Amino acid sequence: MSKVPITLKLKFSQLNQAKVKLFGEMTQENTRLANWLLTIPLPERRKLTTAKVETSLMSALANQTIRHTTSVVGKQVKQYKSLPPEINKQNWSLHKVGETYSLSFPTIKGIKRVPVEVASRHWQPILDRLLISDPLIDKGSAKLIEHRHQWYAYISVTMEVPQLQTINRIGCDRGQNNLAVVAPAKGFGKFFSGKEVKHRRRYFQKRRQSLQLAKKFRALKKWDKRERRWMESVNHKISKRIVRFAQYLNADVVVEDLAGCRDTMKQRNKNRADSGESRHSWAYYSLEQKLDYKLALKGLRIIKRPAPYTSKSCSTCGSLGERKGHHFNCPNGHYHNADLNAARNLSRWDGFCCSLDLKRDAAVMASSGLENGLLGTTLNLMKGILPSGEYL
């Protein structure tokens, strides 16, 4: 069993002006209390209880604010601009009457029960399991957050999902020309083109530059958020299709470990200035995060492997080849699409490569005693050295 935390975003429905004003007052008071707590030294702050603070919030809300300001995150904050009220799991409850769900929680004026809307059809089964106190799902805290003049309840839950026993793996090569290419060791793969993303990135960049010249900084901030939401949506769609492909093959997904790639990969200044080509606008980690939790919900895993040589090795014979754009040519006459070739190499990394660390210093590699040291061979450099000719 694996534990998967997720957050449900439930919109409050049928809110009258009184409740909207109430939620706003709760947020203001919670922010004021948090900022006052930050003025108190940490050792004394840890000893505080609701009996020692003056606030109109109910004790359940005030206690949670005290805990937040003494947490690892809270200790690093100097001042809160806005801190949404948070209710711990013991003090909020879910109800259902007919087809309508509602939440009850403490406020400034006692405990209120407010109807909520379920935007996603995938969340309704989770809410139904919470209602019957399913032991495989554990509810966490709830936050009241205002977004675009609408109020939402952000509910965190942790689900226990059975881990599937899989022997298959598919590789997922991420890039900018193709946002993702997934493929098993043999057979067909799926391509997710990045052409439209590059076009839209340049469009957002051009608009952003004009807003900067006009010094419309508020509009610029909204424009940046719009671009971020659009890219998040693209990654959600891609990750959903990759997970569906992994389910079809009953396979885990292997990805390259791209941590710090923006600092290690070379990039021309011309490409750096182009938002469509710049690696600093490449949302590869967002896609990885979405793949991680969506695979976990299906009982599958995401596996990270080192990035070196996945794009330079032939997935047919293992020789080092030449990559130019979308084309990969092997010295033994094999031709592959470059991204598909990398995805296939990732899918069989554990059975196709040697156990040596590909990131070791070149001097160490050269002193290994092999005729063609690691820099001159590929993922399967041990093939032909072993008497059986098998892969490690």
Side-chain angles (χ1 to χ4, degrees):
M1 303 288 285
S2 61
K3 293 185 177 181
V4 185
I6 59 173
T7 301
L8 308 182
K9 182 180 177 181
L10 306 177
K11 179 182 176 181
F12 288 112
S13 62
Q14 304 174 8
L15 281 184
N16 54 30
Q17 291 299 318
K19 285 191 174 66
V20 170
K21 183 180 179 181
L22 176 64
F23 290 171
E25 291 175 353
M26 289 172 60
T27 303
Q28 291 178 2
E29 176 61 20
N30 195 61
T31 305
R32 185 204 64 79
L33 175 61
N35 287 328
W36 177 79
L37 289 169
L38 291 178
T39 62
I40 301 174
L42 184 61
E44 298 179 16
R45 198 188 314 162
R46 287 173 173 166
K47 299 177 183 178
L48 285 177
T49 61
T50 53
K52 299 179 180 180
V53 298
E54 294 183 3
T55 178
S56 57
L57 296 173
M58 293 185 69
S59 60
L61 297 172
N63 272 325
Q64 197 67 16
T65 305
I66 296 173
R67 294 191 196 101
H68 181 81
T69 56
T70 57
S71 65
V72 177
V73 177
K75 288 188 293 186
Q76 299 175 357
V77 178
K78 294 183 179 179
Q79 185 178 14
Y80 291 98
K81 184 177 180 180
S82 178
L83 182 64
E86 183 175 1
I87 307 107
N88 60 22
K89 63 181 181 181
Q90 292 87 4
N91 291 284
W92 68 267
S93 57
L94 181 68
H95 309 273
K96 185 178 181 181
V97 178
E99 297 298 324
T100 304
Y101 295 90
S102 60
L103 287 178
S104 61
F105 50 88
T107 66
I108 293 177
K109 299 179 179 179
I111 296 177
K112 299 293 182 180
R113 183 169 164 180
V114 187
V116 293
E117 298 176 4
V118 183
S120 173
R121 60 183 176 85
H122 303 290
W123 295 345
Q124 188 168 345
I126 299 175
L127 295 177
D128 291 337
R129 291 171 63 183
L130 281 174
L131 286 170
I132 62 174
S133 301
D134 189 334
L136 296 181
I137 184 168
D138 183 28
K139 71 176 186 178
S141 62
K143 292 183 179 181
L144 306 182
I145 297 178
E146 183 184 17
H147 180 64
R148 292 186 175 183
H149 307 292
Q150 299 289 340
W151 284 93
Y152 298 86
Y154 284 63
I155 299 173
S156 63
V157 296
T158 303
M159 301 176 59
E160 291 190 16
V161 181
Q163 190 75 39
L164 298 180
Q165 298 297 325
T166 60
I167 58 174
N168 301 321
R169 289 183 180 179
I170 59 174
C172 176
D173 180 68
R174 290 166 292 170
Q176 291 175 281
N177 292 327
N178 287 308
L179 297 181
V181 176
V182 288
K186 293 182 180 179
F188 65 92
K190 282 187 174 292
F191 289 74
F192 301 92
S193 175
K195 186 176 180 180
E196 181 182 354
V197 169
K198 287 186 176 184
H199 173 74
R200 289 290 298 273
R201 287 284 194 192
R202 293 186 180 106
Y203 166 71
F204 278 107
Q205 182 184 26
K206 186 176 180 180
R207 178 63 175 166
R208 188 161 49 245
Q209 289 172 347
S210 65
L211 291 173
Q212 287 173 339
L213 290 173
K215 297 184 179 181
K216 296 182 177 180
F217 301 115
R218 185 176 296 179
L220 178 63
K221 187 176 181 180
K222 291 182 179 179
W223 192 251
D224 288 338
K225 290 181 178 179
R226 181 178 178 180
E227 181 180 6
R228 194 178 305 115
R229 290 195 304 269
W230 160 74
M231 195 64 231
E232 288 285 311
S233 176
V234 171
N235 281 331
H236 268 299
K237 293 174 184 177
I238 294 175
S239 59
K240 182 169 65 175
R241 293 177 64 185
I242 293 175
V243 170
R244 191 182 304 156
F245 186 58
Q247 279 186 283
Y248 175 75
L249 297 176
N250 190 28
D252 296 324
V253 179
V254 184
V255 299
E256 296 171 299
D257 185 2
L258 297 178
C261 71
R262 291 190 176 96
D263 300 323
T264 57
M265 290 181 178
K266 294 181 180 180
Q267 187 174 211
R268 294 184 299 176
N269 291 333
K270 181 180 179 181
N271 291 342
R272 175 67 181 87
D274 182 359
S275 184
E277 297 289 344
S278 175
R279 291 196 180 96
H280 290 268
S281 61
W282 180 22
Y284 66 88
Y285 185 62
S286 171
L287 179 59
E288 182 181 310
Q289 285 182 312
K290 291 169 177 54
L291 269 177
D292 192 5
Y293 85 82
K294 289 181 181 180
L295 286 168
L297 287 173
K298 303 299 181 182
L300 302 173
R301 296 180 301 157
I302 187 170
I303 304 170
K304 290 185 180 181
R305 290 295 178 258
Y309 291 92
T310 53
S311 299
K312 297 180 180 179
S313 308
C314 178
S315 58
T316 301
C317 65
S319 301
L320 278 179
E322 183 180 6
R323 174 175 182 169
K324 287 186 178 180
H326 294 287
H327 309 287
F328 177 86
N329 290 287
C330 171
N332 296 328
H334 303 120
Y335 169 79
H336 303 281
N337 175 278
D339 294 328
L340 180 62
N341 176 69
R344 285 174 175 167
N345 281 333
L346 285 168
S347 68
R348 50 180 171 173
W349 176 276
D350 292 340
F352 196 56
C353 70
C354 67
S355 59
L356 298 178
D357 184 2
L358 295 182
K359 296 183 178 180
R360 287 186 301 179
D361 187 80
V364 179
M365 300 178 194
S367 63
S368 61
L370 297 176
E371 180 181 357
N372 298 318
L374 187 58
L375 292 177
T377 53
T378 56
L379 299 176
N380 64 336
L381 84 161
M382 301 303 289
K383 181 183 178 183
I385 297 176
L386 298 177
S388 61
E390 297 176 350
Y391 300 115
L392 283 182

